[in-house]
Amino acid sequence: MKLDEQVITRAIIERFTQKWIDHLDLDVAIIGGGPSGLVAAYYLARNDRKVALFERKLSIGGGMWGGGMMFNEIVVQDKGKKVLDELGIPTQPFQEGYHTADAVMATTTLASKACQAGATVFNLMCVEDAIIRQTDSPESARVIGLVVNWTAVEMAALHVDPLTVHARFTIDATGHATELMHLIERKSGSRLLTETGKVMGEKSMWAEVAEHSTLENTREAFPGVYVAGMAANATFGSYRMGPIFGGMLLSGKKAAELIDQQLG
Ligand code: 48F
């Protein structure tokens, strides 16, 4: 058989188009392919939820590849280690209560597990807006979908209109930037489900407190939208934690469990 460039091209266009059409109506849309987004994608997809994850960059993994300051090892505490165990990611004990994992092994395995469980990743796409609907008052507003565009369009600042997906639930797992929640704050005309009604902003570094609060802050932050990972702490005004990743992993898992319950 001779290889034909036209067949290769048609295969890519047809298959991608079909994949995109198949994911226009989702149970859960996840924004951000860092550790929290990937863990959430894994647990939701494993429960047969229709999940798509949108990632601005070429690669998924977010801030996990680089460990701490490009020393590509991550640290997890005992509870975080349990999630790595469930995913089959090897860890090494460091001292009591602390474990390490190779950052590249952790990132690639997590990404692979999420995809194999059935989550579909759309990389090189950024979420630039939300679809917010309200029935009567601003209080009834709910996010029912996302507005997406190619990262290349964003980078080149081209004037090209985006496309959309609908989702019953959305997870903002965009890390420190907390992009979706900032968008909703600007555009919804209603309060977020935080104490101030706004994105409260990230505080300085305090690993001990931040790791606990990441989990507490993993919850619905606007009707239809959950926050996970660093975005949870930035939304609800807590600390950052640096290269300890247990909170990120547990947050992704908690977001998945909460949404799973809601989906019934
Ligand atoms: O930052 P990131 O890894 O988020 P995370 O899951 O984990 C945080 C840790 O990596 C680390 C930390 C840990 O202890 O504090 O920072 O909370 O991944 C966020 C991903 O979201 C993508 C971004 O490119 C990154 O890969 N992202 C951000 N905004 C958008 C987006 C957007 N609007 N559309 C698509 N992707």
Side-chain angles (χ1 to χ4, degrees):
M1 188 203 80
K2 281 194 189 144
L3 286 174
D4 180 342
E5 293 85 358
Q6 295 303 298
V7 178
I8 296 168
T9 302
R10 208 173 59 242
I12 289 171
I13 294 172
E14 281 185 19
R15 286 289 146 84
F16 181 81
T17 305
Q18 196 54 54
K19 183 159 65 179
W20 188 217
I21 288 170
D22 286 347
H23 289 82
L24 294 182
D25 206 356
L26 300 163
D27 288 325
V28 188
I30 300 173
I31 317 173
S36 64
L38 285 172
V39 169
Y42 167 74
Y43 284 104
L44 284 161
R46 210 181 57 161
N47 279 357
D48 291 331
R49 303 304 185 182
K50 187 150 201 150
V51 184
L53 184 153
F54 299 92
E55 168 55 53
R56 173 180 278 131
K57 295 189 179 146
L58 181 57
S59 64
I60 49 179
M64 197 151 75
W65 294 101
M69 208 175 155
M70 297 202 284
F71 290 28
N72 65 359
E73 288 282 326
I74 60 165
V75 173
V76 290
Q77 58 284 68
D78 292 335
K79 283 185 184 158
K81 177 185 180 296
K82 285 199 182 120
V83 181
L84 293 182
D85 290 344
E86 280 172 27
L87 289 156
I89 296 169
T91 54
Q92 275 187 286
F94 186 70
Q95 65 177 64
E96 201 191 332
Y98 293 81
H99 312 265
T100 61
D102 179 275
V104 174
M105 168 86 89
T107 308
T108 52
T109 309
L110 178 49
S112 161
K113 287 279 157 95
C115 294
Q116 284 181 352
T120 301
V121 173
F122 291 96
N123 58 341
L124 295 167
M125 282 192 197
C126 54
V127 172
E128 63 167 55
D129 208 343
I131 307 176
I132 306 170
R133 288 284 183 278
Q134 64 184 60
T135 40
D136 32 49
S137 61
E139 288 70 48
S140 67
R142 183 182 176 87
V143 168
I144 61 153
L146 297 174
V147 179
V148 298
N149 213 330
W150 296 114
T151 302
V153 167
E154 182 187 69
M155 286 172 79
L158 299 174
H159 189 161
V160 178
D161 266 318
L163 293 172
T164 57
V165 292
H166 277 185
R168 294 169 72 192
F169 289 94
T170 296
I171 302 178
D172 182 341
T174 60
H176 295 271
T178 322
E179 290 196 22
L180 183 67
M181 295 315 300
H182 279 295
L183 266 165
I184 297 170
E185 180 186 293
R186 276 204 319 277
K187 294 202 170 184
S188 68
S190 43
R191 288 170 63 84
L192 307 185
L193 301 171
T194 62
E195 223 174 284
T196 59
K198 295 175 182 281
V199 174
M200 294 174 71
E202 174 190 307
K203 292 187 185 155
S204 60
M205 172 97 71
W206 191 354
E208 167 65 16
V209 176
E211 282 290 276
H212 291 295
S213 61
T214 308
L215 218 50
E216 284 155 25
N217 293 333
T218 301
R219 53 193 151 113
E220 201 167 27
F222 190 81
V225 183
Y226 283 72
V227 282
M230 199 54 227
N233 276 1
T235 300
F236 288 100
S238 188
Y239 296 87
R240 64 184 303 190
M241 72 296 292
I244 176 150
F245 280 79
M248 298 297 114
L249 306 171
L250 291 161
S251 168
K253 188 173 180 184
K254 181 177 173 190
E257 285 167 356
L258 292 174
I259 292 175
D260 228 18
Q261 282 164 18
Q262 294 286 312
L263 286 167

PDB file of all heavy atoms in Angstrom, residues 31-37 54-57 61-64 125-127 173-176 179 228-231 241-245 248, ligand 1:
ATOM      1  N   ILE A  31     -11.830  23.185  32.752  1.00  0.00           N
ATOM      2  CA  ILE A  31     -10.897  24.146  32.159  1.00  0.00           C
ATOM      3  C   ILE A  31      -9.575  24.027  32.897  1.00  0.00           C
ATOM      4  O   ILE A  31      -9.491  24.304  34.099  1.00  0.00           O
ATOM      5  CB  ILE A  31     -11.397  25.602  32.292  1.00  0.00           C
ATOM      6  CG1 ILE A  31     -12.887  25.680  31.976  1.00  0.00           C
ATOM      7  CG2 ILE A  31     -10.610  26.509  31.375  1.00  0.00           C
ATOM      8  CD1 ILE A  31     -13.463  27.033  32.259  1.00  0.00           C
ATOM      9  N   GLY A  32      -8.562  23.598  32.176  1.00  0.00           N
ATOM     10  CA  GLY A  32      -7.228  23.495  32.767  1.00  0.00           C
ATOM     11  C   GLY A  32      -6.799  22.057  32.983  1.00  0.00           C
ATOM     12  O   GLY A  32      -7.486  21.283  33.640  1.00  0.00           O
ATOM     13  N   GLY A  33      -5.656  21.732  32.391  1.00  0.00           N
ATOM     14  CA  GLY A  33      -5.130  20.357  32.470  1.00  0.00           C
ATOM     15  C   GLY A  33      -3.983  20.220  33.442  1.00  0.00           C
ATOM     16  O   GLY A  33      -3.048  19.455  33.218  1.00  0.00           O
ATOM     17  N   GLY A  34      -4.038  20.986  34.548  1.00  0.00           N
ATOM     18  CA  GLY A  34      -3.072  20.774  35.629  1.00  0.00           C
ATOM     19  C   GLY A  34      -3.501  19.569  36.459  1.00  0.00           C
ATOM     20  O   GLY A  34      -4.456  18.865  36.098  1.00  0.00           O
ATOM     21  N   PRO A  35      -2.804  19.319  37.577  1.00  0.00           N
ATOM     22  CA  PRO A  35      -3.118  18.129  38.368  1.00  0.00           C
ATOM     23  C   PRO A  35      -4.568  18.055  38.841  1.00  0.00           C
ATOM     24  O   PRO A  35      -5.185  16.989  38.774  1.00  0.00           O
ATOM     25  CB  PRO A  35      -2.151  18.216  39.555  1.00  0.00           C
ATOM     26  CG  PRO A  35      -1.575  19.596  39.523  1.00  0.00           C
ATOM     27  CD  PRO A  35      -1.651  20.068  38.118  1.00  0.00           C
ATOM     28  N   SER A  36      -5.140  19.177  39.285  1.00  0.00           N
ATOM     29  CA  SER A  36      -6.514  19.096  39.807  1.00  0.00           C
ATOM     30  C   SER A  36      -7.503  18.791  38.682  1.00  0.00           C
ATOM     31  O   SER A  36      -8.408  17.968  38.848  1.00  0.00           O
ATOM     32  CB  SER A  36      -6.901  20.375  40.548  1.00  0.00           C
ATOM     33  OG  SER A  36      -6.924  21.479  39.671  1.00  0.00           O
ATOM     34  N   GLY A  37      -7.328  19.433  37.538  1.00  0.00           N
ATOM     35  CA  GLY A  37      -8.231  19.188  36.410  1.00  0.00           C
ATOM     36  C   GLY A  37      -8.120  17.760  35.899  1.00  0.00           C
ATOM     37  O   GLY A  37      -9.128  17.109  35.596  1.00  0.00           O
ATOM     38  N   PHE A  54     -10.369  21.273  28.557  1.00  0.00           N
ATOM     39  CA  PHE A  54      -9.799  22.264  27.631  1.00  0.00           C
ATOM     40  C   PHE A  54      -8.518  22.821  28.221  1.00  0.00           C
ATOM     41  O   PHE A  54      -8.499  23.282  29.364  1.00  0.00           O
ATOM     42  CB  PHE A  54     -10.815  23.387  27.372  1.00  0.00           C
ATOM     43  CG  PHE A  54     -12.068  22.867  26.743  1.00  0.00           C
ATOM     44  CD1 PHE A  54     -13.151  22.486  27.527  1.00  0.00           C
ATOM     45  CD2 PHE A  54     -12.150  22.691  25.376  1.00  0.00           C
ATOM     46  CE1 PHE A  54     -14.308  21.958  26.953  1.00  0.00           C
ATOM     47  CE2 PHE A  54     -13.289  22.169  24.787  1.00  0.00           C
ATOM     48  CZ  PHE A  54     -14.372  21.796  25.582  1.00  0.00           C
ATOM     49  N   GLU A  55      -7.463  22.753  27.438  1.00  0.00           N
ATOM     50  CA  GLU A  55      -6.154  23.209  27.915  1.00  0.00           C
ATOM     51  C   GLU A  55      -5.543  24.159  26.900  1.00  0.00           C
ATOM     52  O   GLU A  55      -5.414  23.839  25.733  1.00  0.00           O
ATOM     53  CB  GLU A  55      -5.235  22.001  28.144  1.00  0.00           C
ATOM     54  CG  GLU A  55      -3.777  22.345  28.365  1.00  0.00           C
ATOM     55  CD  GLU A  55      -3.530  23.346  29.510  1.00  0.00           C
ATOM     56  OE1 GLU A  55      -4.005  23.112  30.629  1.00  0.00           O
ATOM     57  OE2 GLU A  55      -2.869  24.384  29.249  1.00  0.00           O
ATOM     58  N   ARG A  56      -5.159  25.310  27.392  1.00  0.00           N
ATOM     59  CA  ARG A  56      -4.601  26.355  26.523  1.00  0.00           C
ATOM     60  C   ARG A  56      -3.285  25.916  25.868  1.00  0.00           C
ATOM     61  O   ARG A  56      -3.021  26.238  24.716  1.00  0.00           O
ATOM     62  CB  ARG A  56      -4.358  27.608  27.359  1.00  0.00           C
ATOM     63  CG  ARG A  56      -3.633  28.693  26.622  1.00  0.00           C
ATOM     64  CD  ARG A  56      -3.414  29.915  27.483  1.00  0.00           C
ATOM     65  NE  ARG A  56      -4.578  30.755  27.531  1.00  0.00           N
ATOM     66  CZ  ARG A  56      -5.137  31.245  28.631  1.00  0.00           C
ATOM     67  NH1 ARG A  56      -4.622  30.959  29.791  1.00  0.00           N
ATOM     68  NH2 ARG A  56      -6.188  32.007  28.567  1.00  0.00           N
ATOM     69  N   LYS A  57      -2.486  25.171  26.615  1.00  0.00           N
ATOM     70  CA  LYS A  57      -1.139  24.864  26.116  1.00  0.00           C
ATOM     71  C   LYS A  57      -1.138  23.623  25.227  1.00  0.00           C
ATOM     72  O   LYS A  57      -2.123  22.906  25.124  1.00  0.00           O
ATOM     73  CB  LYS A  57      -0.206  24.656  27.298  1.00  0.00           C
ATOM     74  CG  LYS A  57      -0.038  25.937  28.081  1.00  0.00           C
ATOM     75  CD  LYS A  57       1.029  25.823  29.119  1.00  0.00           C
ATOM     76  CE  LYS A  57       1.141  27.166  29.832  1.00  0.00           C
ATOM     77  NZ  LYS A  57       1.467  27.020  31.226  1.00  0.00           N
ATOM     78  N   GLY A  61      -0.760  18.966  32.045  1.00  0.00           N
ATOM     79  CA  GLY A  61       0.104  18.737  33.211  1.00  0.00           C
ATOM     80  C   GLY A  61       0.269  19.999  34.052  1.00  0.00           C
ATOM     81  O   GLY A  61       0.658  19.927  35.210  1.00  0.00           O
ATOM     82  N   GLY A  62      -0.007  21.147  33.464  1.00  0.00           N
ATOM     83  CA  GLY A  62       0.056  22.408  34.199  1.00  0.00           C
ATOM     84  C   GLY A  62       1.388  22.580  34.901  1.00  0.00           C
ATOM     85  O   GLY A  62       2.451  22.393  34.302  1.00  0.00           O
ATOM     86  N   GLY A  63       1.311  22.874  36.186  1.00  0.00           N
ATOM     87  CA  GLY A  63       2.518  23.176  36.956  1.00  0.00           C
ATOM     88  C   GLY A  63       3.170  21.970  37.588  1.00  0.00           C
ATOM     89  O   GLY A  63       4.015  22.129  38.462  1.00  0.00           O
ATOM     90  N   MET A  64       2.763  20.766  37.157  1.00  0.00           N
ATOM     91  CA  MET A  64       3.326  19.595  37.837  1.00  0.00           C
ATOM     92  C   MET A  64       4.645  19.119  37.226  1.00  0.00           C
ATOM     93  O   MET A  64       5.486  18.545  37.920  1.00  0.00           O
ATOM     94  CB  MET A  64       2.305  18.453  37.875  1.00  0.00           C
ATOM     95  CG  MET A  64       2.690  17.399  38.903  1.00  0.00           C
ATOM     96  SD  MET A  64       1.302  16.524  39.616  1.00  0.00           S
ATOM     97  CE  MET A  64       0.851  15.465  38.311  1.00  0.00           C
ATOM     98  N   MET A 125      -6.607  24.872  23.080  1.00  0.00           N
ATOM     99  CA  MET A 125      -7.853  25.655  23.057  1.00  0.00           C
ATOM    100  C   MET A 125      -7.951  26.405  24.366  1.00  0.00           C
ATOM    101  O   MET A 125      -7.646  25.838  25.421  1.00  0.00           O
ATOM    102  CB  MET A 125      -9.075  24.745  22.973  1.00  0.00           C
ATOM    103  CG  MET A 125      -9.341  24.198  21.598  1.00  0.00           C
ATOM    104  SD  MET A 125     -10.980  23.465  21.602  1.00  0.00           S
ATOM    105  CE  MET A 125     -10.855  22.472  20.126  1.00  0.00           C
ATOM    106  N   CYS A 126      -8.383  27.645  24.299  1.00  0.00           N
ATOM    107  CA  CYS A 126      -8.578  28.353  25.560  1.00  0.00           C
ATOM    108  C   CYS A 126     -10.035  28.754  25.715  1.00  0.00           C
ATOM    109  O   CYS A 126     -10.738  29.016  24.735  1.00  0.00           O
ATOM    110  CB  CYS A 126      -7.640  29.537  25.677  1.00  0.00           C
ATOM    111  SG  CYS A 126      -7.718  30.635  24.321  1.00  0.00           S
ATOM    112  N   VAL A 127     -10.443  28.744  26.964  1.00  0.00           N
ATOM    113  CA  VAL A 127     -11.809  29.158  27.279  1.00  0.00           C
ATOM    114  C   VAL A 127     -11.766  30.669  27.459  1.00  0.00           C
ATOM    115  O   VAL A 127     -11.055  31.166  28.326  1.00  0.00           O
ATOM    116  CB  VAL A 127     -12.295  28.442  28.559  1.00  0.00           C
ATOM    117  CG1 VAL A 127     -13.629  29.013  29.012  1.00  0.00           C
ATOM    118  CG2 VAL A 127     -12.372  26.942  28.307  1.00  0.00           C
ATOM    119  N   ALA A 173     -10.405  24.857  36.798  1.00  0.00           N
ATOM    120  CA  ALA A 173      -9.142  24.300  37.326  1.00  0.00           C
ATOM    121  C   ALA A 173      -7.987  25.030  36.650  1.00  0.00           C
ATOM    122  O   ALA A 173      -7.006  24.425  36.235  1.00  0.00           O
ATOM    123  CB  ALA A 173      -9.085  22.790  37.076  1.00  0.00           C
ATOM    124  N   THR A 174      -8.142  26.344  36.543  1.00  0.00           N
ATOM    125  CA  THR A 174      -7.161  27.133  35.794  1.00  0.00           C
ATOM    126  C   THR A 174      -5.990  27.608  36.652  1.00  0.00           C
ATOM    127  O   THR A 174      -5.196  28.447  36.218  1.00  0.00           O
ATOM    128  CB  THR A 174      -7.819  28.359  35.120  1.00  0.00           C
ATOM    129  OG1 THR A 174      -8.398  29.190  36.135  1.00  0.00           O
ATOM    130  CG2 THR A 174      -8.907  27.957  34.137  1.00  0.00           C
ATOM    131  N   GLY A 175      -5.877  27.086  37.865  1.00  0.00           N
ATOM    132  CA  GLY A 175      -4.709  27.405  38.685  1.00  0.00           C
ATOM    133  C   GLY A 175      -4.760  28.818  39.245  1.00  0.00           C
ATOM    134  O   GLY A 175      -5.836  29.382  39.478  1.00  0.00           O
ATOM    135  N   HIS A 176      -3.572  29.380  39.438  1.00  0.00           N
ATOM    136  CA  HIS A 176      -3.462  30.703  40.083  1.00  0.00           C
ATOM    137  C   HIS A 176      -4.316  31.761  39.376  1.00  0.00           C
ATOM    138  O   HIS A 176      -4.846  32.663  40.005  1.00  0.00           O
ATOM    139  CB  HIS A 176      -1.998  31.164  40.095  1.00  0.00           C
ATOM    140  CG  HIS A 176      -1.118  30.293  40.941  1.00  0.00           C
ATOM    141  ND1 HIS A 176      -0.911  30.509  42.280  1.00  0.00           N
ATOM    142  CD2 HIS A 176      -0.400  29.184  40.633  1.00  0.00           C
ATOM    143  CE1 HIS A 176      -0.106  29.585  42.767  1.00  0.00           C
ATOM    144  NE2 HIS A 176       0.221  28.763  41.780  1.00  0.00           N
ATOM    145  N   GLU A 179      -9.256  31.828  35.909  1.00  0.00           N
ATOM    146  CA  GLU A 179      -9.760  32.632  34.785  1.00  0.00           C
ATOM    147  C   GLU A 179     -11.284  32.643  34.656  1.00  0.00           C
ATOM    148  O   GLU A 179     -11.869  33.677  34.388  1.00  0.00           O
ATOM    149  CB  GLU A 179      -9.119  32.154  33.476  1.00  0.00           C
ATOM    150  CG  GLU A 179      -7.663  32.502  33.428  1.00  0.00           C
ATOM    151  CD  GLU A 179      -7.061  32.423  32.041  1.00  0.00           C
ATOM    152  OE1 GLU A 179      -7.796  32.504  31.041  1.00  0.00           O
ATOM    153  OE2 GLU A 179      -5.835  32.282  31.978  1.00  0.00           O
ATOM    154  N   ALA A 228     -11.541  24.002  41.559  1.00  0.00           N
ATOM    155  CA  ALA A 228     -10.652  22.944  42.040  1.00  0.00           C
ATOM    156  C   ALA A 228      -9.211  23.425  41.968  1.00  0.00           C
ATOM    157  O   ALA A 228      -8.865  24.300  41.164  1.00  0.00           O
ATOM    158  CB  ALA A 228     -10.830  21.677  41.201  1.00  0.00           C
ATOM    159  N   GLY A 229      -8.372  22.822  42.811  1.00  0.00           N
ATOM    160  CA  GLY A 229      -6.941  23.133  42.792  1.00  0.00           C
ATOM    161  C   GLY A 229      -6.680  24.545  43.278  1.00  0.00           C
ATOM    162  O   GLY A 229      -7.391  25.085  44.125  1.00  0.00           O
ATOM    163  N   MET A 230      -5.637  25.136  42.725  1.00  0.00           N
ATOM    164  CA  MET A 230      -5.245  26.478  43.172  1.00  0.00           C
ATOM    165  C   MET A 230      -6.362  27.490  42.935  1.00  0.00           C
ATOM    166  O   MET A 230      -6.495  28.468  43.685  1.00  0.00           O
ATOM    167  CB  MET A 230      -3.953  26.876  42.456  1.00  0.00           C
ATOM    168  CG  MET A 230      -3.202  27.984  43.124  1.00  0.00           C
ATOM    169  SD  MET A 230      -2.837  27.700  44.878  1.00  0.00           S
ATOM    170  CE  MET A 230      -3.349  29.271  45.561  1.00  0.00           C
ATOM    171  N   ALA A 231      -7.181  27.252  41.926  1.00  0.00           N
ATOM    172  CA  ALA A 231      -8.302  28.164  41.646  1.00  0.00           C
ATOM    173  C   ALA A 231      -9.283  28.193  42.818  1.00  0.00           C
ATOM    174  O   ALA A 231      -9.952  29.212  43.053  1.00  0.00           O
ATOM    175  CB  ALA A 231      -9.015  27.766  40.360  1.00  0.00           C
ATOM    176  N   MET A 241       0.510  27.058  48.201  1.00  0.00           N
ATOM    177  CA  MET A 241       1.236  26.028  48.955  1.00  0.00           C
ATOM    178  C   MET A 241       2.543  25.592  48.320  1.00  0.00           C
ATOM    179  O   MET A 241       3.281  24.800  48.910  1.00  0.00           O
ATOM    180  CB  MET A 241       0.344  24.811  49.192  1.00  0.00           C
ATOM    181  CG  MET A 241       0.047  23.953  47.979  1.00  0.00           C
ATOM    182  SD  MET A 241      -0.894  24.809  46.712  1.00  0.00           S
ATOM    183  CE  MET A 241      -2.464  25.049  47.491  1.00  0.00           C
ATOM    184  N   GLY A 242       2.843  26.053  47.116  1.00  0.00           N
ATOM    185  CA  GLY A 242       4.103  25.619  46.500  1.00  0.00           C
ATOM    186  C   GLY A 242       4.041  24.167  46.067  1.00  0.00           C
ATOM    187  O   GLY A 242       2.954  23.609  45.886  1.00  0.00           O
ATOM    188  N   PRO A 243       5.201  23.535  45.937  1.00  0.00           N
ATOM    189  CA  PRO A 243       5.250  22.243  45.235  1.00  0.00           C
ATOM    190  C   PRO A 243       4.848  21.016  46.053  1.00  0.00           C
ATOM    191  O   PRO A 243       5.391  19.938  45.854  1.00  0.00           O
ATOM    192  CB  PRO A 243       6.703  22.157  44.780  1.00  0.00           C
ATOM    193  CG  PRO A 243       7.446  22.942  45.787  1.00  0.00           C
ATOM    194  CD  PRO A 243       6.543  24.022  46.276  1.00  0.00           C
ATOM    195  N   ILE A 244       3.890  21.183  46.973  1.00  0.00           N
ATOM    196  CA  ILE A 244       3.287  19.999  47.591  1.00  0.00           C
ATOM    197  C   ILE A 244       1.949  19.817  46.884  1.00  0.00           C
ATOM    198  O   ILE A 244       1.166  20.758  46.754  1.00  0.00           O
ATOM    199  CB  ILE A 244       3.159  20.124  49.129  1.00  0.00           C
ATOM    200  CG1 ILE A 244       2.443  18.899  49.691  1.00  0.00           C
ATOM    201  CG2 ILE A 244       2.468  21.411  49.569  1.00  0.00           C
ATOM    202  CD1 ILE A 244       2.870  18.539  51.091  1.00  0.00           C
ATOM    203  N   PHE A 245       1.709  18.615  46.380  1.00  0.00           N
ATOM    204  CA  PHE A 245       0.611  18.442  45.425  1.00  0.00           C
ATOM    205  C   PHE A 245      -0.572  17.641  45.954  1.00  0.00           C
ATOM    206  O   PHE A 245      -1.532  17.397  45.223  1.00  0.00           O
ATOM    207  CB  PHE A 245       1.146  17.790  44.131  1.00  0.00           C
ATOM    208  CG  PHE A 245       1.811  18.798  43.234  1.00  0.00           C
ATOM    209  CD1 PHE A 245       3.112  19.226  43.496  1.00  0.00           C
ATOM    210  CD2 PHE A 245       1.145  19.339  42.155  1.00  0.00           C
ATOM    211  CE1 PHE A 245       3.721  20.183  42.694  1.00  0.00           C
ATOM    212  CE2 PHE A 245       1.740  20.291  41.341  1.00  0.00           C
ATOM    213  CZ  PHE A 245       3.028  20.713  41.608  1.00  0.00           C
ATOM    214  N   MET A 248      -3.881  19.437  45.579  1.00  0.00           N
ATOM    215  CA  MET A 248      -4.341  19.518  44.182  1.00  0.00           C
ATOM    216  C   MET A 248      -5.048  18.223  43.774  1.00  0.00           C
ATOM    217  O   MET A 248      -6.120  18.229  43.175  1.00  0.00           O
ATOM    218  CB  MET A 248      -3.153  19.729  43.224  1.00  0.00           C
ATOM    219  CG  MET A 248      -2.386  21.003  43.431  1.00  0.00           C
ATOM    220  SD  MET A 248      -3.404  22.450  43.120  1.00  0.00           S
ATOM    221  CE  MET A 248      -3.488  23.161  44.740  1.00  0.00           C
TER     222      MET A 248
HETATM  223  O1  48F B   1      -1.670  25.740  37.274  1.00  0.00           O
HETATM  224  P1  48F B   1      -2.146  24.349  37.129  1.00  0.00           P
HETATM  225  O2  48F B   1      -1.178  23.253  37.309  1.00  0.00           O
HETATM  226  O3  48F B   1      -3.430  24.196  38.107  1.00  0.00           O
HETATM  227  P2  48F B   1      -3.759  23.308  39.386  1.00  0.00           P
HETATM  228  O4  48F B   1      -4.357  22.016  38.984  1.00  0.00           O
HETATM  229  O5  48F B   1      -2.346  22.998  40.038  1.00  0.00           O
HETATM  230  C1  48F B   1      -1.557  24.003  40.598  1.00  0.00           C
HETATM  231  C2  48F B   1      -0.134  23.480  40.701  1.00  0.00           C
HETATM  232  O6  48F B   1       0.380  23.153  39.437  1.00  0.00           O
HETATM  233  C3  48F B   1       0.827  24.483  41.360  1.00  0.00           C
HETATM  234  C4  48F B   1       0.506  24.661  42.790  1.00  0.00           C
HETATM  235  C5  48F B   1       0.577  23.413  43.608  1.00  0.00           C
HETATM  236  O7  48F B   1       0.819  23.144  44.634  1.00  0.00           O
HETATM  237  O8  48F B   1       0.200  25.706  43.243  1.00  0.00           O
HETATM  238  O9  48F B   1       0.784  25.724  40.686  1.00  0.00           O
HETATM  239  O10 48F B   1      -4.523  24.191  40.294  1.00  0.00           O
HETATM  240  O11 48F B   1      -2.820  24.161  35.708  1.00  0.00           O
HETATM  241  C6  48F B   1      -3.758  25.067  35.230  1.00  0.00           C
HETATM  242  C7  48F B   1      -3.877  24.848  33.723  1.00  0.00           C
HETATM  243  O12 48F B   1      -4.962  25.594  33.243  1.00  0.00           O
HETATM  244  C8  48F B   1      -4.625  26.093  31.958  1.00  0.00           C
HETATM  245  C9  48F B   1      -3.154  26.442  32.076  1.00  0.00           C
HETATM  246  O13 48F B   1      -2.542  26.487  30.797  1.00  0.00           O
HETATM  247  C10 48F B   1      -2.627  25.321  32.946  1.00  0.00           C
HETATM  248  O14 48F B   1      -2.130  24.235  32.206  1.00  0.00           O
HETATM  249  N1  48F B   1      -5.500  27.244  31.702  1.00  0.00           N
HETATM  250  C11 48F B   1      -5.545  28.407  32.405  1.00  0.00           C
HETATM  251  N2  48F B   1      -6.494  29.201  31.903  1.00  0.00           N
HETATM  252  C12 48F B   1      -7.052  28.542  30.863  1.00  0.00           C
HETATM  253  C13 48F B   1      -6.413  27.293  30.724  1.00  0.00           C
HETATM  254  C14 48F B   1      -8.087  28.860  29.914  1.00  0.00           C
HETATM  255  N3  48F B   1      -8.738  30.012  29.956  1.00  0.00           N
HETATM  256  N4  48F B   1      -8.395  27.948  28.955  1.00  0.00           N
HETATM  257  C15 48F B   1      -7.727  26.767  28.904  1.00  0.00           C
HETATM  258  N5  48F B   1      -6.742  26.426  29.758  1.00  0.00           N
END
